[in-house]
Each structure stands twice: as structure tokens, then as C-alpha cells.
Amino acid sequence: MAPQAQPQVSPAQQNMAARSLILRGGQVGQTYFPPAIDVWQPQNPQLQSSPAPGSVLTMYLRNVGLVKRVILRFKATVTAGATSTQTLTKLGLANLISNVTFFDLGNNQRINTTGWHLTAIASAKRRRVFGAAYTSDTPLGYGNNNNRVMYAPATIAATVATEIDFQLEIPFVKNDTDLRGAIFADVTQATMQVQVTLNPNMFVSSTADPTLSMYQSAGSDLASLSNLSVQMYQNYLDQLPRAPNGAPILPQQDLGTAYLLNNTASGLPVANQDNGAAFVNARTYESVAFVYDNNGTLNVNGSDINYIALQSANFTNILNLDGRMIGLMQRNVIMDDFPAGMYYLDFRHRPIDTNQFGNMQLVINPSSVGGSGAVFLYGWEAYGIIGLVNQGGSIPMGGG
């Protein structure tokens, strides 16, 4: 009897086997491979002289290992103006950074988004506010003891100078067990870079829209920024398993997938009408966050929202929620409220694959529009296959 043919291993099975070998270790043939080492290495990026609001900081990653993320730590001094108190805005310290852009080894732009969006994603993935400390009623000394992990005073009196501290995660993977989006950086002919823009409007006057600023003045004299320092930590997996010929054993499908974080803005919303934003084709969405800047006002309890809906191509409302219901769902995600005016929809349990669902729309029906400066500010979290994400189009809808 002829020997039976061995069943063919699919690319997906090969990918999962390689991922498991990297993360958990295992035996291949007669060789046992321990799990890869999770490395955190500091870097001191070279900054231009006296960076100020509006400066663009360019930082290069090391070409080593299987890169998962970087964390940037900012320290600076904020000095209030001569006569006016400065007050931290609703989105606060996250608005120190107005834009983060990341280009991978193939010059693909994987990230182009804001500080507030990256902070929201970092919080939602961990199911707690990123970088926060929680108090308890136990007499054990736990609490907010290391109070410079994230720090910005609620108010700064006129002429007073104070330190601020901010930490920002720039992720290339969703978490430490899902390697989709990881970047194999053991190459010599290409570079990766992160570009960070210090918010040009981080300080605004009392008459300006403070939504995307960090501090608002009680008058016309603004605060100033000085003594900025940046520390970058690169997190990667090293000592990867290798085949007998010395080649690394890699999850090829994971490496061929990009973890995409992007932001967009709407046109002027129309009150009491559906304003839609399209999910772009050729992507699988994990979440969408948005801020409703109602002409400079950030409301709570959904008081300026009639409903928010997730609408499929055949106009079926998969979700149809008012602001208070979304508030409950958000607390179930991070055990806290997001900043005023910010809403977060989580699809991690069943991601929205636009190849399956067709043209999907996020529909927002506002009960009020306060003026010509009103806008929806969106933050999108998705996966896409490298080579296809630049081809995905979408159909716009309504005022959004």
C-alpha cells in the first residue's frame, strides 16, 4: 500500500506555529527553543536646539529584533504668562503632542494620529487609564507615590513655572500575544522613523477653542514651553528561534500585516441629521474613537448627541446608542470615563472587516451644533495587509 500523503500545512497554521514558538518556546525536531527575550532598551534621540510648540522631532529606531512598540517620555517646563492663570484643558496633557507619524522599513506610513488618540488606545487595550495610579482603602502604602509618571497641574498661577511629565505609547502591535504588525528589523538597508509634532496650539487664549490645546489662559497672555527632554524606549523580541540554516523562524502573515492608527476630521455637522464617516475598505477595525468639539464646548452625558449608530451597507443598524449608554459601555472598557466630549466604540470581540461587511458607516446624529467651528475628530484603529491598504477606498456620507 502506498504511503498516505501528509496533509499540507496552510500559511495560517505556519504563521500561528511560528508565533507560538517565539512567544512560548517549543521543540522543533530535536531542538528546543526557549521563548524570545522581551527587551526594553533606552535611546536618547537627538533633538534640535530649544524645541518649541510646532517643532517636529524625528527619531530613528534601532534595527534589531522583532519590534513591538516604542514609548516616549517627555519632560518639560511650562511657565505661565505675566498676568493670567493657565488652566489644563479637558483633553489635557495628551495635547502636548498634536501628531505622531511612523514610517516602517518599507516607507509605509502605519501611524498618523494624535496624542489624545494614542492615549485612548493605550488605555482601552489595558482596560485602565494608561499610566494612571489607583488608590485603595488598604493601609499598605499603595497609591500615586510615583507622581511624575504623568504630571501636569490643573492650574498654573501667573508667572509660575512648573514641570510637566508625559509618557506616550506608539504601538506597532495590539498587545504582547498578537504579533500582527510586528516589524522584523534585523536588516541593514532601511530605517524606521517616528516623527512627533509638538502641538503648535498647546497654549491658547481665553477666547480660543481649547479642545486641542493643553493649557488655556484666563486672558490673552499665553504660557510658554522650555527645557524639553525626550527619552525613547524601544521594545522588541530578541534571540528568535532559528532554522538549521540559520534563518529566523518568523510569522510571515503577522509581518505582512500593518497595525494602522489614523485620525480624520469631519466637515461641519448638521444638527438632528445623520452625519456619517466611512470605514475604509481593505481593513479590519478594532475600534473607533471620536471627540465632538461642539464649537469649543465638550459636553458630558451625551447631552448634545441624539444617537450614535454603526450602520452596515444595507442600512442595518448594528449599534444604535445614546450618549449615556455609550458612557456605560466605556466604563466597562476602562473602569473610568473618557475625557469630556470623547466617545469610544470597541470592536475587539468581533472586529469590523470591511471585506466582509462591505461599506460600513459610523453615524452620529447630534442634537445641537454650536457654530461654524463644530467638528467630529475621529481616531481609527485597524489592521491592513501591506500592499492592499493603499488601495482601499470608501464612500462618504452626509456632513460627517
Side-chain angles (χ1 to χ4, degrees):
M1 178 182 294
Q4 289 187 336
Q6 292 292 324
Q8 203 137 31
V9 179
S10 70
Q13 290 172 317
Q14 291 177 340
N15 182 82
M16 294 305 294
R19 183 196 293 182
S20 178
L21 192 62
I22 291 170
L23 296 177
R24 300 178 181 85
Q27 189 158 337
V28 178
Q30 300 299 314
T31 305
Y32 173 77
F33 294 99
I37 297 175
D38 194 39
V39 180
W40 287 86
Q41 283 192 343
Q43 298 189 49
N44 294 302
Q46 298 296 316
L47 305 181
Q48 59 262 51
S49 177
S50 302
S55 296
V56 178
L57 313 178
T58 300
M59 289 162 269
Y60 293 92
L61 279 68
R62 290 178 178 168
N63 284 5
V64 58
L66 195 60
V67 184
K68 297 190 293 182
R69 62 177 62 81
V70 298
I71 287 184
L72 300 180
R73 187 173 70 217
F74 300 87
K75 180 181 177 181
T77 300
V78 172
T79 304
T83 60
S84 300
T85 297
Q86 309 293 316
T87 301
L88 197 66
T89 62
K90 298 291 180 63
L91 300 188
L93 188 57
N95 281 339
L96 173 69
I97 305 302
S98 60
N99 181 264
V100 173
T101 305
F102 170 67
F103 295 93
D104 66 15
L105 294 167
N107 206 34
N108 300 299
Q109 187 187 88
R110 300 193 184 198
I111 296 174
N112 185 358
T113 195
T114 58
W116 69 259
H117 181 220
L118 289 170
T119 301
I121 293 296
S123 301
K125 290 191 297 186
R126 291 167 172 83
R127 304 189 72 83
R128 58 187 181 275
V129 180
F130 182 63
Y134 292 87
T135 59
S136 73
D137 60 357
T138 56
L140 301 175
Y142 291 84
N144 184 24
N145 299 319
N146 300 311
N147 62 357
R148 289 301 184 270
V149 174
M150 297 276 199
Y151 179 73
T155 59
I156 307 173
T159 73
V160 171
T162 182
E163 175 185 327
I164 61 169
D165 299 90
F166 179 49
Q167 304 208 43
L168 182 68
E169 181 188 38
I170 304 172
F172 312 134
V173 297
K174 182 172 68 173
N175 55 46
D176 288 327
T177 60
D178 186 344
L179 295 181
R180 286 178 296 168
I183 301 167
F184 182 63
D186 281 349
V187 299
T188 58
Q189 302 299 319
T191 59
M192 296 177 284
Q193 68 176 24
V194 173
Q195 292 181 339
V196 176
T197 303
L198 299 177
N199 190 350
N201 300 308
M202 67 175 69
F203 307 118
V204 295
S205 69
S206 60
T207 58
D209 181 349
T211 300
L212 295 179
S213 65
M214 184 172 66
Y215 277 97
Q216 184 174 33
S217 174
S220 58
D221 55 328
L222 307 185
S224 61
L225 186 80
S226 60
N227 303 322
L228 178 77
S229 64
V230 182
Q231 178 78 65
M232 181 167 72
Y233 284 86
Q234 183 171 326
N235 179 214
Y236 63 92
L237 296 173
D238 202 7
Q239 297 193 17
L240 303 174
R242 292 186 177 270
N245 64 1
I249 299 173
L250 299 171
Q252 296 298 336
Q253 288 188 340
D254 288 347
L255 301 188
T257 302
Y259 183 52
L260 305 169
L261 299 171
N262 301 100
N263 73 295
T264 58
S266 74
L268 179 65
V270 181
N272 299 306
Q273 292 189 24
D274 287 352
N275 299 262
F279 290 78
V280 178
N281 293 335
R283 286 163 173 76
T284 302
Y285 284 86
E286 297 277 319
S287 72
V288 59
F290 74 91
V291 174
Y292 182 22
D293 177 1
N294 197 350
N295 202 44
T297 300
L298 299 176
N299 289 303
V300 297
N301 295 316
S303 59
D304 52 4
I305 298 283
N306 289 322
Y307 59 81
I308 300 166
L310 181 63
Q311 194 174 89
S312 69
N314 59 2
F315 302 108
T316 300
N317 287 325
I318 298 172
L319 297 175
N320 192 313
L321 309 166
D322 63 16
R324 296 194 178 190
M325 186 61 191
I326 286 192
L328 173 63
M329 296 172 73
Q330 291 175 161
R331 289 187 174 188
N332 290 337
V333 172
I334 64 169
M335 298 179 64
D336 213 336
D337 289 327
F338 283 82
M342 185 184 297
Y343 300 85
Y344 177 85
L345 293 175
D346 192 297
F347 313 126
R348 298 179 199 283
H349 65 289
R350 180 66 164 87
I352 295 174
D353 186 342
T354 51
N355 292 322
Q356 295 179 351
F357 284 81
N359 289 305
M360 296 287 294
Q361 303 277 352
L362 175 67
V363 176
I364 306 170
N365 190 303
S367 59
S368 69
V369 174
S372 60
V375 65
F376 299 125
L377 304 168
Y378 301 101
W380 309 91
E381 177 193 16
Y383 285 108
I385 304 300
I386 295 173
L388 294 180
V389 293
N390 294 330
Q391 303 172 24
S394 59
I395 300 174
M397 171 188 174

